[in-house]
Short mmCIF file of all heavy atoms in Angstrom, two decimals:
data_model
loop_
_atom_site.label_atom_id
_atom_site.label_comp_id
_atom_site.label_asym_id
_atom_site.label_seq_id
_atom_site.Cartn_x
_atom_site.Cartn_y
_atom_site.Cartn_z
N ARG A 406 96.04 -49.73 160.01
CA ARG A 406 95.26 -50.92 160.33
C ARG A 406 95.93 -52.19 159.86
O ARG A 406 95.59 -53.28 160.32
CB ARG A 406 93.88 -50.82 159.68
CG ARG A 406 92.98 -49.91 160.49
CD ARG A 406 91.73 -49.59 159.75
NE ARG A 406 91.07 -48.49 160.44
CZ ARG A 406 89.92 -47.97 160.06
NH1 ARG A 406 89.32 -48.44 158.99
NH2 ARG A 406 89.39 -47.00 160.73
N ALA A 407 96.87 -52.09 158.93
CA ALA A 407 97.52 -53.29 158.41
C ALA A 407 98.21 -54.00 159.57
O ALA A 407 98.80 -53.36 160.43
CB ALA A 407 98.53 -52.90 157.35
N GLY A 408 98.12 -55.29 159.60
CA GLY A 408 98.78 -56.03 160.66
C GLY A 408 97.89 -56.24 161.87
O GLY A 408 98.26 -56.90 162.83
N ALA A 409 96.67 -55.69 161.84
CA ALA A 409 95.74 -55.91 162.95
C ALA A 409 95.31 -57.37 162.96
O ALA A 409 95.20 -58.00 161.92
CB ALA A 409 94.53 -55.00 162.81
N THR A 410 95.05 -57.89 164.19
CA THR A 410 94.72 -59.31 164.29
C THR A 410 93.21 -59.57 164.19
O THR A 410 92.78 -60.69 164.05
CB THR A 410 95.24 -59.90 165.62
OG1 THR A 410 94.85 -59.01 166.66
CG2 THR A 410 96.75 -60.03 165.60
N LEU A 411 92.41 -58.51 164.33
CA LEU A 411 90.95 -58.67 164.22
C LEU A 411 90.48 -58.06 162.91
O LEU A 411 91.08 -57.10 162.43
CB LEU A 411 90.25 -57.94 165.37
CG LEU A 411 90.43 -58.50 166.77
CD1 LEU A 411 89.74 -57.58 167.78
CD2 LEU A 411 89.83 -59.90 166.87
N ASP A 412 89.37 -58.58 162.38
CA ASP A 412 88.88 -57.94 161.16
C ASP A 412 88.14 -56.65 161.52
O ASP A 412 87.68 -56.46 162.66
CB ASP A 412 88.00 -58.90 160.35
CG ASP A 412 86.70 -59.20 161.05
OD1 ASP A 412 85.74 -58.45 160.83
OD2 ASP A 412 86.67 -60.16 161.85
N GLU A 413 88.05 -55.78 160.54
CA GLU A 413 87.55 -54.44 160.80
C GLU A 413 86.11 -54.43 161.32
O GLU A 413 85.77 -53.68 162.24
CB GLU A 413 87.66 -53.60 159.52
CG GLU A 413 87.29 -52.16 159.78
CD GLU A 413 87.69 -51.23 158.65
OE1 GLU A 413 88.12 -51.71 157.60
OE2 GLU A 413 87.53 -50.01 158.84
N ALA A 414 85.24 -55.30 160.76
CA ALA A 414 83.83 -55.31 161.16
C ALA A 414 83.70 -55.61 162.65
O ALA A 414 82.93 -54.97 163.38
CB ALA A 414 83.06 -56.34 160.33
N THR A 415 84.51 -56.59 163.14
CA THR A 415 84.48 -56.96 164.55
C THR A 415 84.91 -55.78 165.41
O THR A 415 84.28 -55.48 166.45
CB THR A 415 85.44 -58.15 164.80
OG1 THR A 415 85.11 -59.17 163.86
CG2 THR A 415 85.32 -58.68 166.21
N ILE A 416 86.00 -55.12 164.98
CA ILE A 416 86.51 -53.99 165.77
C ILE A 416 85.46 -52.88 165.84
O ILE A 416 85.17 -52.34 166.91
CB ILE A 416 87.82 -53.45 165.15
CG1 ILE A 416 88.90 -54.53 165.20
CG2 ILE A 416 88.30 -52.19 165.89
CD1 ILE A 416 90.11 -54.23 164.34
N LEU A 417 84.85 -52.57 164.68
CA LEU A 417 83.86 -51.49 164.65
C LEU A 417 82.65 -51.83 165.52
O LEU A 417 82.11 -50.97 166.23
CB LEU A 417 83.43 -51.19 163.21
CG LEU A 417 84.53 -50.57 162.34
CD1 LEU A 417 84.03 -50.35 160.91
CD2 LEU A 417 85.05 -49.26 162.93
N ALA A 418 82.26 -53.11 165.52
CA ALA A 418 81.13 -53.54 166.35
C ALA A 418 81.47 -53.34 167.83
O ALA A 418 80.64 -52.88 168.62
CB ALA A 418 80.79 -55.00 166.07
N MET A 419 82.72 -53.67 168.20
CA MET A 419 83.13 -53.51 169.60
C MET A 419 83.22 -52.04 169.99
O MET A 419 82.89 -51.67 171.12
CB MET A 419 84.46 -54.24 169.84
CG MET A 419 84.28 -55.77 169.82
SD MET A 419 85.84 -56.66 169.96
CE MET A 419 86.24 -56.41 171.69
N ILE A 420 83.68 -51.21 169.05
CA ILE A 420 83.74 -49.76 169.33
C ILE A 420 82.32 -49.24 169.57
O ILE A 420 82.07 -48.43 170.47
CB ILE A 420 84.42 -49.01 168.17
CG1 ILE A 420 85.92 -49.32 168.15
CG2 ILE A 420 84.19 -47.50 168.27
CD1 ILE A 420 86.67 -48.75 166.96
N ASP A 421 81.36 -49.77 168.81
CA ASP A 421 79.96 -49.37 168.94
C ASP A 421 79.41 -49.79 170.31
O ASP A 421 78.77 -48.99 171.01
CB ASP A 421 79.17 -50.02 167.79
CG ASP A 421 77.85 -49.32 167.59
OD1 ASP A 421 77.85 -48.07 167.69
OD2 ASP A 421 76.83 -50.01 167.35
#
Side-chain angles (χ1 to χ4, degrees):
R406 281 169 193 181
T410 48
L411 291 176
D412 68 90
E413 186 166 8
T415 308
I416 297 167
L417 292 178
M419 289 175 74
I420 289 174
D421 199 40

